[in-house]
């Protein structure tokens, strides 16, 4: 059986400051090494002090992932030599003497299956390594930018409960939605969610693919690795425990041999960070301030808007989409139709073009106007789909329809005239249509083409059926 | 836990600390290590079966508000750095 476990690193990038110092946590786009201080540069004698907001966010995530929360906040030094960590240790958390993870033993439900969460750690991010050739594999030195050093991270580790590539992607998307609902992470930012993926297939040992940048890439990595490992095993090649790197351009994994041995991190409690008690009341106060989580929001959608569970779950998978649905629902009350348009047309159009919801300039008012024009039979569903991209581009649906004369044709005699013309040219099809509904749709399509999508579809169908029956 | 100070231990420490220890230094180091371990072994003479381990002399730490304060300017931040390139610190390659 294939076993997959994920180690997801989440940037606490909604915090104003880094984890243990008062430097800004917003380092993106800043000149290298301009957002540092003695603490995050790892200068001797500098004392780290934890950002309280980071603790609160970690507790919220622990609650959302149904974890047990530690009674004490304890930090550990994880020692290794690497140019991205000037102290030669990372402040992290570890289960061992005098030390424990902030949370353990959680569960996340993804499409009916439980994925257990082994633990959540709070830790600091190392500096950013930039490779002069663009790749770590053939650069003979590394350039270091300490702006990122000390930014807060949560490391969320699952048990190897994930069974396939698609499940892993759904897990990542659900986690992302939870993090966005809790305002823990702006996951749109590049590198804000990175995963180390552990994959083993039957008859082979565990292979780790490090630093995978998105849910889609996690899916691709797993598909690739399962195929590679199985092919090797059937050819009698042993799969040994190793670390690999995901080459996103070539869509392959390649083995990497890291210089630093990973077996002995010499973990010990960080003497600079005394324990901090996490009382039940402290946790209760945080829970009482917690925003609504996606699972609860989906349940509310089903109740409040009477949409299907499936639609509700699709909407809440992306917080921005769920927000847009709720805002639009204030102006338009056929919620089922609204959900349908947003999921099947709006979201799909954006996804097909690799665009994000944030890239859309459509307003809730414009979506409501569009749907109302459809309901009032002013425009046809074909026109709705046709002009949606322009609405996403920020245009007003009423103006588009007026400017381009896209108002639906409801004049029965006009539709009938066009229908007779079409059927005259398509005699064979018209005969076949008597027994085959698909051919009826073909004829309707021809009429739609002739009327630039403006013929009322219900009238058109009625008229076509009537003419065919006369034949 | 009994620690045996021998060449294997020195080799391991050499690797973990990423330093090279000369043969003449090795004997001195073994002597020092034995003395240090002997000093700590005094703790074993006590009955500690009812004593909880202590990891921090201070009972409770403190937290910091999520409020920004100015960072160092780059010249200050990199004043101890010997090798630089375009505002970056130059470090060694990280793969074999």
């Amino acid at each position: 059986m294939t076993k997959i476990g994920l180690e997801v690193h989440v940037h606490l990038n909604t915090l104003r400051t880094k984890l243990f110092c008062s430097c800004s946590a917003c380092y993106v786009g800043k000149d290298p090494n301009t957002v540092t201080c003695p603490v995050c540069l790892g200068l001797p004698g500098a004392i780290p002090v934890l950002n309280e907001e980071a603790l609160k966010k970690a507790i919220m995530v622990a609650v959302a992932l149904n974890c047990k929360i530690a009674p004490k906040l304890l930090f550990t030094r994880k020692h290794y030599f690497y140019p991205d960590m000037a102290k030669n240790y990372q402040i992290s958390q570890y289960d061992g003497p005098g030390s424990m993870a902030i949370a353990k033993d959680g569960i996340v439900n993804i499409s009916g299956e439980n994925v257990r969460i082994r633990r959540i750690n709070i830790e600091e991010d190392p500096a950013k390594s930039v490779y002069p050739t663009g790749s770590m594999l053939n650069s003979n030195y590394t350039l270091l930018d300490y702006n990122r050093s000390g930014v807060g991270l949560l490391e969320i580790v699952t048990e190897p409960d994930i069974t396939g590539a698609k499940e892993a992607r759904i897990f990542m998307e659900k986690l992302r939605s939870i993090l966005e609902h809790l305002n823990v992470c702006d996951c749109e930012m590049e590198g804000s969610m990175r995963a180390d993926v552990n994959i083993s297939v039957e008859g082979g040992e565990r292979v780790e693919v490090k630093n995978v940048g998105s849910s889609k890439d996690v899916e691709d990595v797993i598909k690739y690795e399962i195929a590679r490992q199985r092919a090797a095993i059937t050819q009698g090649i042993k799969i040994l425990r190793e670390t690999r790197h995901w080459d996103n351009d070539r869509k392959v994994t390649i083995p990497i041999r890291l210089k630093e041995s990973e077996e002995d991190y010499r973990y010990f409690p960080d003497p600079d960070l005394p324990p901090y008690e996490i009382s039940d009341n402290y946790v209760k106060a945080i829970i009482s301030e917690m925003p609504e989580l996606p699972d609860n929001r989906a349940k509310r959608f089903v109740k409040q808007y009477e949409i299907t569970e499936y639609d509700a779950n699709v909407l809440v998978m992306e917080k921005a989409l769920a927000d847009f649905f709720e805002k639009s629902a204030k102006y338009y009350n056929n919620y089922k139709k609204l959900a349908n348009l947003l999921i099947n047309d709006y979201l799909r159009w954006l996804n097909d073009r690799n665009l994000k919801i944030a890239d859309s300039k459509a307003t809730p008012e414009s979506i409501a106007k569009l749907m109302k024009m459809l309901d009032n039979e002013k425009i046809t569903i074909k026109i709705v789909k046709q002009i949606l991209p322009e609405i996403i581009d920020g245009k007003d649906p009423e103006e588009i329809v007026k400017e381009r004369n896209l108002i639906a044709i409801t004049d029965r005699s006009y539709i009938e005239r066009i229908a007779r013309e079409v059927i005259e040219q398509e005699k064979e099809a018209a005969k076949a249509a008597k027994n085959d509904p698909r051919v009826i749709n073909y004829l309707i399509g021809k009429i739609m083409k002739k009327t630039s999508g403006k013929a009322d579809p219900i009238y058109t169908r009625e008229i076509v059926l009537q003419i065919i029956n006369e034949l | 836990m009994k620690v045996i100070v021998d060449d294997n231990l020195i080799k391991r420490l050499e690797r973990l600390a990423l330093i090279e220890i000369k043969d003449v230094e090795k004997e001195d180091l073994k002597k020092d290590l034995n003395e240090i371990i002997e000093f700590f072994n005094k703790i074993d003479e006590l009955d500690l079966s009812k004593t909880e381990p202590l990891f921090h002399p201070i009972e409770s730490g403190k937290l910091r508000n999520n409020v920004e304060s100015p960072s160092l300017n780059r010249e200050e931040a990199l004043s101890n750095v010997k090798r630089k390139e375009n505002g970056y610190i130059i470090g060694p390659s990280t793969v074999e």
Side-chain angles (χ1 to χ4, degrees):
Chain A
M1 205 180 92
T2 306
K3 282 186 174 175
I4 300 157
L6 298 173
E7 256 184 60
V8 187
H9 290 92
V10 176
H11 257 151
L12 295 171
N13 60 12
T14 58
L15 293 179
R16 277 212 290 284
T17 63
K18 292 184 181 180
L19 197 53
F20 296 111
C21 64
S22 304
C23 285
S24 168
C26 178
Y27 61 87
V28 176
K30 304 241 171 94
D31 287 338
N33 297 306
T34 53
V35 194
T36 66
C37 75
V39 173
C40 54
L41 283 171
L43 300 186
I47 297 291
V49 184
L50 184 75
N51 182 342
E52 176 161 26
E53 211 47 39
L55 175 61
K56 287 185 176 164
K57 304 241 179 204
I59 291 173
M60 282 188 197
V61 174
V63 171
L65 303 183
N66 306 299
C67 292
K68 289 185 194 121
I69 293 161
K72 269 183 188 172
L73 176 71
L74 295 160
F75 285 101
T76 302
R77 291 184 179 181
K78 178 183 181 179
H79 295 84
Y80 63 90
F81 289 109
Y82 214 68
D84 63 11
M85 193 59 88
K87 303 191 293 297
N88 292 334
Y89 61 84
Q90 179 192 29
I91 305 176
S92 179
Q93 295 190 304
Y94 177 68
D95 271 324
S99 174
M100 62 178 98
I102 181 74
K104 286 203 288 191
D105 301 333
I107 275 186
V108 181
N109 190 284
I110 51 156
S111 10
E113 299 281 328
N114 281 336
V115 174
R116 288 169 299 158
I117 303 293
R118 186 180 295 167
R119 60 175 163 79
I120 302 174
N121 285 347
I122 305 175
E123 59 186 32
E124 56 178 343
D125 208 6
K128 189 173 183 210
S129 299
V130 177
Y131 302 101
T133 63
S135 165
M136 76 189 289
L137 300 168
N138 56 15
S139 293
N140 47 20
Y141 62 97
T142 312
L143 294 171
L144 298 149
D145 174 9
Y146 271 74
N147 288 350
R148 197 182 73 187
S149 168
V151 168
L153 284 178
L154 295 181
E155 184 190 65
I156 301 168
V157 183
T158 76
E159 296 290 347
D161 291 348
I162 301 168
T163 50
K166 192 177 155 222
E167 288 75 14
R169 181 177 51 91
I170 297 172
F171 175 86
M172 290 290 284
E173 283 170 359
K174 177 142 189 191
L175 181 62
R176 176 193 155 124
S177 172
I178 290 171
L179 297 168
E180 286 187 334
H181 276 84
L182 294 175
N183 190 27
V184 163
C185 178
D186 174 2
C187 302
E188 292 287 354
M189 264 169 68
E190 204 194 314
S192 56
M193 245 180 115
R194 289 171 284 166
D196 297 342
V197 188
N198 286 290
I199 309 147
S200 68
V201 301
E202 203 164 335
E205 288 193 55
R206 176 160 67 92
V207 171
E208 182 177 23
V209 183
K210 283 216 168 276
N211 222 355
V212 186
S214 73
S215 336
K216 183 75 184 61
D217 288 349
V218 165
E219 187 178 17
D220 291 346
V221 163
I222 295 170
K223 275 188 195 157
Y224 179 84
E225 270 301 305
I226 290 176
R228 185 188 69 83
Q229 293 179 29
R230 282 195 183 143
I233 288 169
T234 41
Q235 288 167 38
I237 302 164
K238 274 195 175 147
I239 294 291
L240 299 175
R241 214 171 143 160
E242 64 167 348
T243 304
R244 298 176 75 89
H245 165 82
W246 173 240
D247 183 334
N248 202 12
D249 296 326
R250 288 160 57 216
K251 304 281 174 209
V252 294
T253 65
I254 30 186
I256 40 167
R257 300 217 301 153
L258 298 171
K259 266 184 183 169
E260 178 59 14
S261 149
E262 291 181 21
E263 63 224 29
D264 194 348
Y265 286 127
R266 288 149 288 149
Y267 288 102
F268 67 72
D270 191 324
D272 286 343
L273 289 154
Y276 186 85
E277 197 198 321
I278 304 170
S279 69
D280 287 349
N281 284 337
Y282 188 76
V283 175
K284 272 183 202 154
I286 291 168
I287 293 174
S288 72
E289 288 170 17
M290 255 170 79
E292 186 179 39
L293 289 166
D295 278 354
N296 291 337
R297 194 174 193 191
K299 278 181 200 146
R300 178 169 62 78
F301 278 11
V302 171
K303 234 170 123 180
Q304 183 178 342
Y305 301 111
E306 295 178 327
I307 58 172
T308 63
E309 213 181 302
Y310 176 84
D311 284 356
N313 281 321
V314 175
L315 289 172
V316 301
M317 267 300 212
E318 253 183 277
K319 182 176 179 286
L321 185 66
D323 290 347
F324 191 69
F325 170 77
E326 290 214 86
K327 280 180 198 151
S328 306
K330 288 198 175 116
Y331 301 98
Y332 179 73
N333 63 13
N334 191 332
Y335 308 127
K336 274 182 199 163
K337 266 188 165 170
L338 177 63
N340 201 344
L341 178 85
L342 292 184
I343 293 167
N344 295 324
D345 300 299
Y346 184 78
L347 184 63
R348 185 171 296 165
W349 193 87
L350 291 170
N351 284 347
D352 286 350
R353 281 153 193 82
N354 259 326
L355 293 172
K356 296 164 190 156
I357 307 246
D359 296 327
S360 165
K361 293 189 196 101
T363 62
E365 291 92 332
S366 65
I367 293 291
K369 267 188 200 171
L370 180 71
M371 295 306 285
K372 280 178 190 164
M373 283 197 283
L374 175 68
D375 289 350
N376 297 335
E377 295 175 358
K378 267 184 118 173
I379 52 173
T380 65
I381 186 70
K382 266 220 142 75
I383 297 294
V384 170
K385 289 174 199 244
Q386 192 188 312
I387 67 174
L388 188 62
E390 293 167 69
I391 292 162
I392 292 172
D393 219 28
K395 289 197 182 128
D396 180 89
E398 279 171 1
E399 274 171 31
I400 301 170
V401 168
K402 216 171 117 190
E403 264 172 36
R404 302 228 300 269
N405 189 26
L406 299 173
I407 290 176
I409 298 163
T410 51
D411 178 347
R412 273 176 169 275
S413 59
Y414 178 76
I415 297 173
E416 192 176 332
R417 189 161 58 80
I418 302 289
R420 288 195 186 277
E421 273 172 36
V422 166
I423 286 168
E424 184 61 30
Q425 284 158 5
E426 301 275 349
K427 277 183 183 143
E428 290 301 311
K431 266 183 214 157
K434 278 184 177 258
N435 305 313
D436 190 346
R438 276 175 306 178
V439 184
I440 299 175
N441 289 339
Y442 166 78
L443 292 171
I444 293 172
K446 286 264 165 190
I447 297 163
M448 283 297 170
K449 209 173 167 192
K450 275 206 147 178
T451 58
S452 314
K454 294 188 288 185
D456 182 282
I458 296 169
Y459 289 175
T460 307
R461 179 170 288 272
E462 281 172 11
I463 289 163
V464 168
L465 287 173
Q466 188 196 320
I467 299 172
I468 288 168
N469 280 334
E470 288 167 7
L471 289 176
Chain B
M1 193 174 72
K2 184 88 180 120
V3 179
I4 300 158
V5 179
D6 57 8
D7 286 337
N8 277 337
L9 179 71
I10 300 291
K11 228 172 161 179
R12 188 159 165 247
L13 292 175
E14 223 178 341
R15 189 175 62 76
L16 286 175
L18 285 187
I19 51 169
E20 209 178 311
I21 303 167
K22 290 183 193 118
D23 282 344
V24 281
E25 294 168 323
K26 278 182 186 166
E27 291 313 308
D28 285 346
L29 197 62
K30 279 189 205 167
K31 201 173 133 259
D32 290 347
L33 284 168
N34 270 318
E35 277 172 20
I36 292 164
I37 288 164
E38 206 177 308
F39 179 77
F40 274 93
N41 281 347
K42 277 190 193 296
I43 296 172
D44 293 340
E45 292 165 19
L46 301 168
D47 175 15
L48 299 174
S49 57
K50 291 186 182 100
T51 311
E52 283 295 310
L54 178 75
F55 295 99
H56 292 272
I58 299 164
E59 284 266 311
S60 182
K62 55 174 185 171
L63 303 176
R64 177 177 60 77
N65 287 331
N66 183 28
V67 178
E68 243 179 272
S69 61
S71 295
L72 296 174
N73 67 49
R74 187 152 73 193
E75 287 65 42
E76 268 180 298
L78 301 187
S79 58
N80 289 327
V81 176
K82 290 197 183 106
R83 299 205 301 150
K84 304 169 219 185
E85 185 178 304
N86 302 326
Y88 288 98
I89 302 164
I90 294 182
S93 133
T94 48
V95 285
E96 274 178 0

